[in-house]
Amino acid sequence: MDIRKKVGRNVKKFRKNAGWSQEDLAFECDLHRTYISGVERGVRNPTVVILDKIASSLGVPPAQLLD
């Protein structure tokens, strides 16, 4: 599986587990909602800095987004 799709699937899973919308997560990460959407769909290639922001907002280690 493409790593971008894997990351996107994990971001979506953790986001839904938190009970957040894409807009909620985007606000917490200080990113745009369409960027979060692109990450979740696997069309964005987020940097490690962005992955760290997302993981921190979701309360998970960044490595879990890559699992």
Side-chain angles (χ1 to χ4, degrees), residues 4-5 7-9 11-13 15-16 20-22 25 35-44:
R4 291 173 297 180
K5 294 216 180 281
V7 167
R9 185 187 68 223
V11 168
K12 186 175 184 176
K13 176 181 75 173
R15 175 181 63 77
K16 286 187 173 264
W20 288 354
S21 66
Q22 288 179 344
L25 178 56
Y35 188 87
I36 296 296
S37 173
V39 170
E40 288 187 0
R41 289 181 290 122
V43 298
R44 291 278 188 175

Side-chain angles (χ1 to χ4, degrees), residues 2-57:
D2 183 323
I3 188 69
R4 291 173 297 180
K5 294 216 180 281
K6 187 181 288 191
V7 167
R9 185 187 68 223
N10 288 330
V11 168
K12 186 175 184 176
K13 176 181 75 173
F14 290 119
R15 175 181 63 77
K16 286 187 173 264
N17 287 347
W20 288 354
S21 66
Q22 288 179 344
E23 190 171 0
D24 294 331
L25 178 56
F27 178 79
E28 292 295 322
C29 298
D30 195 30
L31 298 169
H32 198 274
R33 185 204 54 81
T34 58
Y35 188 87
I36 296 296
S37 173
V39 170
E40 288 187 0
R41 289 181 290 122
V43 298
R44 291 278 188 175
N45 192 19
T47 65
V48 293
V49 172
I50 297 296
L51 286 179
D52 185 57
K53 280 177 109 171
I54 293 171
S56 294
S57 295

